[in-house]
């Protein structure tokens, strides 16, 4: 009887150990764009790199899950999440009411303002509607920056682009007069040889109804458990210094923003 009991207990312990190991080996598929440096970018050898990628890896480590990454065009990234191509989006996606109808969001993991850039010889003096009247503004389609541009710059021509790289190329070649994007994206580009053509005109005061409270991680509707896990992990890497380590790798200032 005792031998049978010991065997039963050993079998139970083995099953428990197997269950723990399987939980630790859970894989979380992360969708990202791969065309939005310094936040996410696809290198020539096919590697996804950037702030979003490093943050996602840190969060997965904190949650004790394995991460794999999937590059996805921006226009189709929410439908791909809904279709189960991946489990979460970590791609500098602003938290907005319109998107929140389709996905659930975590708390923000960063919040930086939008800005305007233009050629170095531009006569544009500021970022108001009047400053940009009559100008053609390039901006990535299906973004909060596109939504803001169409609302705020009604006296300008708004030209949408599939990716940031494409509007940057057109600005450098004189096909648009200015561009609108996140200030860190523009500053990062302006610091490269490709961006030597141009200058930062200034930051735009965010419109909370359009830009939202910051960038969050998107998951499928109803996946509250995953949202809670990510939120706890965001708080943890903010507290233990890992967030600052990643932040300082890419930026000279805290991109998290205020405690909102």
């Amino acid at each position: 009887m005792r031998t049978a009991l010991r065997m039963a207990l050993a079998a139970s312990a083995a099953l428990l150990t197997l269950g723990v190991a399987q939980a630790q080996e859970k894989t979380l598929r992360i969708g990202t764009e791969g065309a939005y440096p310094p936040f996410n970018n696809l290198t020539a050898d096919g590697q996804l790199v950037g702030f979003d990628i490093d943050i996602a890896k840190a969060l997965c480590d904190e949650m004790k899950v394995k991460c794999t990454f999937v590059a996805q065009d921006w226009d189709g990234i929410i439908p791909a999440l809904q279709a189960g191509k991946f489990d979460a989006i970590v791609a500098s996606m602003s938290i907005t009411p319109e998107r929140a109808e389709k996905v659930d969001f975590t708390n923000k993991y960063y919040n930086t303002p939008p800005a305007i850039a233009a050629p170095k010889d531009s006569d544009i003096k500021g970022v108001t509607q009047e400053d940009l009247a009559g100008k053609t503004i390039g901006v990535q389609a299906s973004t909060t920056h596109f939504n803001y541009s169409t609302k705020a710059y009604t006296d300008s021509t708004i030209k949408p682009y599939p990716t940031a790289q494409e509007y940057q190329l057109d600005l450098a070649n004189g096909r648009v007069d200015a561009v609108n994007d996140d200030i860190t994206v523009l500053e990062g580009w302006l610091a490269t040889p490709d961006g030597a053509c141009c200058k930062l005109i200034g930051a735009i005061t965010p419109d909370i109804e359009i830009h939202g409270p910051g960038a969050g991680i998107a998951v499928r509707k109803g996946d509250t458990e995953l949202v809670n896990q990510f939120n706890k992990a965001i708080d943890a890497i903010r507290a233990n210094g890992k967030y600052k380590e990643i932040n300082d790798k890419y930026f000279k200032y805290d991109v998290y923003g205020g405690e909102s």
Side-chain angles (χ1 to χ4, degrees):
M1 180 68 74
R2 288 179 179 177
T3 300
L5 179 59
R6 284 197 297 270
M7 291 177 64
L9 289 172
S12 297
L15 288 172
L16 179 61
T17 301
L18 178 61
V20 170
Q22 288 175 336
Q24 291 174 337
E25 292 168 1
K26 177 181 176 182
T27 297
L28 198 63
R29 297 164 300 165
I30 305 293
T32 194
E33 184 186 11
Y36 197 61
F39 293 103
N40 58 78
N41 195 35
L42 197 61
T43 64
D45 61 353
Q47 298 297 310
L48 281 164
V49 297
F51 178 79
D52 287 332
I53 310 305
D54 287 357
I55 288 290
K57 288 177 179 178
L59 295 176
C60 287
D61 286 346
E62 187 66 34
M63 294 159 60
K64 295 180 172 55
V65 297
K66 180 183 177 182
C67 269
T68 60
F69 292 89
V70 180
Q72 171 68 49
D73 289 345
W74 181 256
D75 285 351
I77 203 164
I78 287 180
L81 172 69
Q82 293 170 324
K85 186 174 180 180
F86 32 79
D87 305 301
I89 297 171
V90 185
S92 294
M93 181 172 283
S94 297
I95 303 164
T96 67
E98 180 184 3
R99 289 174 179 152
E101 293 177 359
K102 302 173 184 177
V103 299
D104 285 344
F105 279 106
T106 65
N107 298 335
K108 72 169 186 178
Y109 65 97
Y110 81 84
N111 187 18
T112 50
I116 295 289
K120 285 183 175 176
D121 61 357
S122 173
D123 61 356
I124 297 171
K125 303 300 183 185
V127 300
T128 68
Q129 180 183 16
E130 294 75 19
D131 290 322
L132 288 151
K135 305 296 186 181
T136 298
I137 304 171
V139 61
Q140 187 175 4
S142 303
T143 64
T144 55
H145 307 297
F146 178 80
N147 295 341
Y148 178 84
S149 292
T150 55
K151 176 186 175 182
Y153 300 123
T154 52
D155 296 328
S156 305
T157 299
I158 309 304
K159 187 175 181 180
Y161 290 84
T163 67
Q165 285 93 331
E166 288 167 274
Y167 76 61
Q168 291 166 0
L169 182 63
D170 269 11
L171 183 64
N173 289 319
R175 289 188 281 267
V176 294
D177 301 304
V179 294
N180 177 10
D181 207 335
D182 187 283
I183 192 169
T184 53
V185 172
L186 294 176
E187 287 181 334
W189 174 63
L190 294 171
T192 69
D194 289 340
C197 59
C198 304
K199 63 183 178 182
L200 192 73
I201 299 298
I204 297 168
T205 301
D207 182 330
I208 190 66
E209 292 184 3
I210 296 177
H211 296 109
I217 298 167
V219 304
R220 281 184 288 278
K221 271 290 185 184
D223 200 345
T224 306
E225 181 181 355
L226 187 54
V227 168
N228 291 339
Q229 289 175 340
F230 271 124
N231 282 338
K232 288 179 182 177
I234 291 169
D235 289 343
I237 66 170
R238 288 280 298 162
N240 66 21
K242 186 63 179 179
Y243 185 97
K244 185 178 187 306
E245 176 187 324
I246 297 169
N247 182 103
D248 293 352
K249 176 180 174 182
Y250 294 96
F251 311 111
K252 296 180 180 178
Y253 47 88
D254 183 5
V255 298
Y256 186 78
E259 296 294 332
S260 60

